[in-house]
Amino acid sequence: MTKLEGKEKRIHKAQKDNLKCLLIRIFFIILILCLASAWRVLNWLWLRPKQLEKLLREQGLHGNSYRILVGDVKDLFRMEKEAKSKSMNLSDDIVPRVSPYFQQSVKIHGKNSFIWFGTKPMVTLTQPEQIKDVLNKIYEFPKRNNKIFKSLVSGLASHKGEKWSKHRRLINPAFQLEKLKIMTPSFLTSCNDLISKWEKMLSSDESCEIDVWPFLQNLASDAISRTSFGSSYEEGKRIFKLQRELAELIMEDMVKSFIPLWRFVPTTVHRKMDEIERDIKSSLKDIINKREKELGESTTNDLLSILLESNHKEIEENTNNKNVGMTLDDVVGECKLFYFAGQETTSVLLVWTMILLSRYPYWQDCAREEVLQIFGKKKPDYDGLNNLKIVTMILYEVLRLYPPVVGLARQIEKDVKLGNLILPAGIEVFLPILLLHHDCELWGDDAKMFNPERFSEGVLKATNGRYSYFPFGGGPRICIGQNFSMMEAKMAITMILQYFSFELSPIYAHAPSTIITLQPQYGAQIIIRKFRDIKN
């Protein structure tokens, strides 16, 4: 063998050895990455949930043992589906139908218990003092990140921290009482349209049977469209109709939402949801851009104009700060939220009010007598609506028995002390509005019965000063549109009472059901009759 051949052989051997070393290194790198990934998956799927469970049980909290990945979700949806499969007796004890799993959990494991939403435990809190702390300490108990609902409910409701503070400040002028007073004629116009429609439907004996639920949805949609978008309210109504469709699709998809990355699977439902979301966003941007051009040309008092003016003022006063004000996408998010702030909340409040007043004619008569005493047959005005005591008592009681949202969730991002509990990072807490509003220990033996009299001296007296009544949430994040919703509801109920008496139809099926908000699953069939005031 020549020296050259020997040298080449040594080089070839060295190259083979280097390649072998490289492959071994790559193998160990891949092995380490696989082991690290496996450890992260094991920690996510098993170790961390079991650690959280141990920490909760050591503090006297009880719940089911963790079941890998699904937790209690499968049982929760099964029970809710079974409850929704049939109507219930005509009773206001609706918790077993609306929140069967939470009720069962509290019954079995106690008032401070937990359930599993996938790999996360959710602690149910039922002590008023704890709930008050959670709602007031918004930075220790931030809102839950719910990506499922973000396409539907964004804006102020989903923001946290500094962004939430900025948006709340900019939106607040649109919901001040003097602005609300200016919007009262818009409520009146929408209510007039409803009354006219119902009058045209009356038969020769001046009565008819109506499913009032879609009419009340359209009323609230029309009112929030007029007050939000002014001259563009017809386009606003179309947008709200799309959002209603989107809400139904989200609820249909909810059962699978806890499967990792499920939202990104291109199913027919997901494609439809994306299509609706794009349509909503595009339409809102067109309305906003049009309104931006009109600012300063005329005086407008719809919510969008007030919001844009507030935003422009903020930007002009802080020209050196690029982080002030809202972007176009931010304004779109707030417009989407107007739907729930003004449409969903008001429509469900109205439908349950009509159902309950149909079942309790004594209170219907009392409310009508008050309305006629203040307004007679005249059109309601802002000051008169504020003087309605009995109607207000009735609305408070409806919100107690049938709150629009049945519960609130908050997440724990770092360990936090709550009373005697140390709640670890990574869990969530649930504030069961419906359960608390029906709790006999908090409201007395008649807690599950309709009794507006309990609010005759106001909310503080009715609750004995405890934090047991929060249909619009509470603390700094209390619903910014609550006065808006209550004023619209008072206007609608007042005018309905002026023109009609009503009772439940024999075909009405009592079936409260959650589709984002608490709605009548099979509609609200009511017999209405033209009201004749025999005194006049």
Side-chain angles (χ1 to χ4, degrees):
M1 181 182 294
T2 63
K3 289 183 179 180
L4 183 59
E5 288 174 336
K7 186 176 181 182
E8 286 178 351
K9 191 173 182 180
R10 286 193 298 274
I11 291 171
H12 183 64
K13 185 177 182 302
Q15 287 175 337
K16 284 179 68 177
D17 290 343
N18 288 339
L19 180 61
K20 186 177 179 181
C21 289
L22 179 62
L23 290 173
I24 290 170
R25 285 181 190 141
I26 291 172
F27 170 78
F28 276 107
I29 289 170
I30 292 172
L31 180 62
I32 289 168
L33 288 173
C34 288
L35 288 173
S37 298
W39 173 256
R40 281 196 293 269
V41 170
L42 178 64
N43 189 55
W44 168 58
L45 282 179
W46 186 255
L47 298 178
R48 182 57 178 163
K50 293 302 289 183
Q51 181 188 24
L52 292 173
E53 182 179 350
K54 182 173 179 288
L55 289 170
L56 295 177
R57 291 194 188 282
E58 285 174 350
Q59 298 182 74
L61 296 169
H62 302 284
N64 291 331
S65 295
Y66 171 65
R67 286 173 284 180
I68 194 162
L69 191 60
V70 295
D72 294 323
V73 169
K74 189 176 178 181
D75 291 341
L76 185 150
F77 283 118
R78 177 184 55 77
M79 285 186 70
E80 289 193 350
K81 184 178 179 181
E82 185 180 333
K84 288 181 179 180
S85 66
K86 54 186 180 297
S87 60
M88 59 177 285
N89 294 331
L90 200 56
S91 159
D92 297 317
D93 184 12
I94 65 172
V95 175
R97 188 179 201 276
V98 178
S99 299
Y101 197 81
F102 282 98
Q103 185 190 45
Q104 175 184 272
S105 177
V106 169
K107 191 177 291 184
I108 294 173
H109 301 296
K111 285 199 166 184
N112 275 16
S113 56
F114 61 87
I115 66 171
W116 291 94
F117 268 79
T119 59
K120 281 189 176 184
M122 177 182 276
V123 176
T124 302
L125 301 175
T126 57
Q127 300 301 318
E129 297 77 16
Q130 293 175 330
I131 288 166
K132 183 178 180 180
D133 276 353
V134 169
L135 291 175
N136 280 315
K137 297 176 180 178
I138 60 173
Y139 297 107
E140 292 181 38
F141 298 93
K143 287 205 73 171
R144 180 187 187 190
N145 280 327
N146 200 325
K147 294 178 182 177
I148 309 165
F149 292 107
K150 199 161 186 181
S151 59
L152 186 67
V153 184
S154 52
L156 191 66
S158 62
H159 296 324
K160 296 186 287 187
E162 186 179 335
K163 188 166 186 177
W164 172 83
S165 299
K166 177 175 72 174
H167 279 232
R168 182 89 181 194
R169 184 180 67 254
L170 291 172
I171 295 168
N172 194 54
F175 289 94
Q176 290 174 352
L177 291 178
E178 63 268 21
K179 298 296 184 184
L180 190 60
K181 187 173 184 178
I182 294 169
M183 293 174 191
T184 305
S186 295
F187 296 153
L188 182 61
T189 300
S190 299
C191 292
N192 266 330
D193 289 347
L194 174 73
I195 299 300
S196 297
K197 287 176 187 175
W198 285 1
E199 285 188 317
K200 290 174 184 176
M201 295 172 70
L202 296 176
S203 60
S204 57
D205 67 349
E206 296 192 322
S207 71
C208 69
E209 183 178 299
I210 303 174
D211 180 0
V212 300
W213 173 227
F215 285 94
L216 295 174
Q217 284 179 301
N218 289 334
L219 163 67
S221 175
D222 188 80
I224 191 64
S225 298
R226 291 178 189 277
T227 52
S228 292
F229 302 119
S231 59
S232 302
Y233 84 97
E234 284 293 350
E235 177 64 4
K237 285 176 70 175
R238 189 188 74 82
I239 293 168
F240 296 150
K241 187 177 179 182
L242 287 171
Q243 284 200 293
R244 195 177 300 155
E245 186 180 347
L246 183 59
E248 291 171 358
L249 290 171
I250 287 172
M251 293 306 292
E252 180 185 331
D253 198 55
M254 180 74 76
V255 70
K256 297 176 183 175
S257 64
F258 293 95
I259 300 173
L261 304 178
W262 172 253
R263 179 66 184 91
F264 301 99
V265 178
T267 65
T268 303
V269 170
H270 289 165
R271 284 195 293 270
K272 183 65 175 174
M273 287 165 63
D274 291 339
E275 180 187 332
I276 293 173
E277 188 178 358
R278 284 194 299 270
D279 191 353
I280 291 170
K281 187 176 286 189
S282 174
S283 298
L284 283 171
K285 283 184 176 180
D286 287 344
I287 292 175
I288 293 164
N289 286 329
K290 181 182 176 184
R291 190 57 52 82
E292 286 269 15
K293 294 174 183 176
E294 295 171 354
L295 284 181
E297 294 178 6
S298 59
T299 303
T300 51
N301 285 295
D302 56 76
L303 294 174
L304 177 57
S305 294
I306 297 168
L307 172 59
L308 291 175
E309 286 168 4
S310 176
N311 193 40
H312 274 279
K313 185 179 179 182
E314 172 95 356
I315 294 169
E316 287 172 2
E317 291 176 354
N318 298 273
T319 52
N320 296 325
N321 188 347
K322 294 182 179 179
N323 294 321
V324 300
M326 296 187 198
T327 65
L328 177 59
D329 284 336
D330 287 339
V331 178
V332 166
E334 299 307 337
C335 288
K336 286 163 70 176
L337 182 60
F338 286 165
Y339 169 68
F340 277 90
Q343 199 270 0
E344 282 287 306
T345 302
T346 308
S347 61
V348 296
L349 172 55
L350 285 172
V351 76
W352 293 119
T353 301
M354 285 202 71
I355 289 170
L356 285 163
L357 290 182
S358 295
R359 290 171 52 202
Y360 298 92
Y362 168 77
W363 284 105
Q364 184 182 150
D365 292 342
C366 288
R368 183 178 292 105
E369 186 178 339
E370 179 183 55
V371 164
L372 294 176
Q373 183 179 351
I374 293 177
F375 299 111
K377 283 290 187 177
K378 294 186 299 183
K379 301 299 182 187
D381 56 50
Y382 179 83
D383 293 330
L385 292 172
N386 278 325
N387 289 325
L388 292 170
K389 180 181 178 182
I390 294 173
V391 170
T392 303
M393 287 161 48
I394 289 169
L395 292 174
Y396 283 162
E397 180 70 342
V398 174
L399 287 168
R400 185 185 72 84
L401 289 171
Y402 297 84
V405 178
V406 299
L408 301 172
R410 295 290 186 265
Q411 59 188 19
I412 309 293
E413 296 178 342
K414 58 183 179 180
D415 294 1
V416 62
K417 192 173 189 302
L418 182 67
N420 296 324
L421 296 175
I422 302 293
L423 299 174
I427 74 162
E428 294 180 346
V429 294
F430 181 66
L431 315 181
I433 298 174
L434 185 65
L435 266 68
L436 262 78
H437 284 193
H438 286 244
D439 191 333
C440 291
E441 289 184 17
L442 295 172
W443 294 94
D445 294 338
D446 66 344
K448 303 177 194 306
M449 297 173 61
F450 181 68
N451 178 20
E453 191 64 40
R454 74 177 83 245
F455 289 103
S456 60
E457 296 181 62
V459 173
L460 192 64
K461 184 74 172 178
T463 58
N464 292 318
R466 294 172 295 187
Y467 217 92
S468 54
Y469 182 76
F470 50 111
F472 292 101
R477 294 195 73 119
I478 193 167
C479 175
I480 199 169
Q482 64 171 324
N483 291 329
F484 180 102
S485 182
M486 287 294 288
M487 187 57 65
E488 184 186 342
K490 287 180 185 180
M491 174 73 79
I493 289 299
T494 293
M495 293 187 68
I496 290 169
L497 289 169
Q498 283 179 316
Y499 286 87
F500 305 103
S501 62
F502 44 94
E503 62 187 66
L504 280 184
S505 163
I507 67 168
Y508 169 73
H510 196 46
S513 176
T514 302
I515 305 177
I516 311 296
T517 51
L518 187 61
Q519 304 177 9
Q521 185 176 341
Y522 305 122
Q525 295 77 20
I526 286 177
I527 297 169
I528 66 169
R529 293 186 174 85
K530 182 74 175 177
F531 174 70
R532 301 289 184 188
D533 188 358
I534 57 174
K535 294 178 184 177
N536 297 322

